[in-house]
Amino acid sequence: MVTQLNLLKDEPKILIIATLACSYPGIDNAGQGHKEYPASTFVIRIPDPVIFPEEFYIQAFKEGYDGILIASCGDESPFKDSYKKLAARIDRTYQLMQKEGIEIERLRLTAICTVCADAFVKQVKQMYETLLELKKKKASTS
């Protein structure tokens, strides 16, 4: 029996962390507009991605996500200085990723607004293509 999970088995799995105030409505607009993007994406909605410590991202990669796209509010965040703190956290996460041998291209921080459906689709497709290239590169060197 072929299931949807089997069909997606070889596809890069992308975890999308979306803010409730800004990016999730933009992602929802993409869905309501029937815009196409890779199906191997998993969206979680949270108040602000700054709540996740650096180790969260490392653990997500170890548990099978090929890429993580953080769709934040950017400077429009309703939480004071949140975006600056998040950017600093992601910089520290990049350092941890390098120590763990994880390509930093697998983690991307972007700002998606409530009406940014096309921008969201573009970001997901770019992340997907990047992950495919990383897989090809890894396969050719092993």
Side-chain angles (χ1 to χ4, degrees), residues 9 15 20 22 27-28 39 54-55 57 60 82 85 87 98 105 110 115 122 124 137:
K9 189 173 78 176
L15 176 63
L20 287 170
C22 303
I27 294 168
D28 196 34
E54 294 81 353
E55 294 79 15
Y57 301 101
S82 171
K85 292 176 184 172
Q98 289 174 324
E105 295 91 342
T110 186
V115 294
K122 181 179 176 183
V124 172
K137 188 176 172 183

Side-chain angles (χ1 to χ4, degrees), residues 17-137:
I17 300 171
T19 57
L20 287 170
C22 303
S23 60
Y24 189 76
I27 294 168
D28 196 34
N29 278 337
Q32 289 184 19
H34 303 282
K35 299 189 181 289
E36 290 189 26
Y37 59 91
S40 57
T41 58
F42 305 88
V43 179
I44 58 172
R45 296 180 290 172
I46 60 170
D48 195 312
V50 77
I51 64 173
F52 291 128
E54 294 81 353
E55 294 79 15
F56 168 83
Y57 301 101
I58 302 299
Q59 190 63 33
F61 290 122
K62 288 181 178 177
E63 292 189 11
Y65 286 101
D66 298 297
I68 301 173
L69 179 66
I70 304 168
S72 77
C73 297
D75 287 330
E76 304 283 321
S77 174
F79 304 104
K80 185 177 180 191
D81 294 331
S82 171
Y83 191 65
K84 289 179 185 172
K85 292 176 184 172
L86 176 61
R89 173 158 283 162
I90 297 307
D91 284 342
R92 291 190 301 272
T93 304
Y94 284 147
Q95 293 170 7
L96 281 176
M97 291 172 69
Q98 289 174 324
K99 286 181 185 172
E100 296 281 336
I102 302 168
E103 301 92 346
I104 62 171
E105 295 91 342
R106 295 172 60 186
L107 176 63
R108 183 177 294 178
L109 173 61
T110 186
I112 300 293
C113 71
T114 57
V115 294
C116 292
D118 289 332
F120 165 71
V121 170
K122 181 179 176 183
Q123 288 290 329
V124 172
K125 287 181 176 177
Q126 285 178 344
M127 171 66 92
Y128 185 84
E129 292 300 321
T130 298
L131 295 172
L132 283 178
E133 288 299 318
L134 289 173
K135 277 189 170 195
K136 286 179 191 172
K137 188 176 172 183

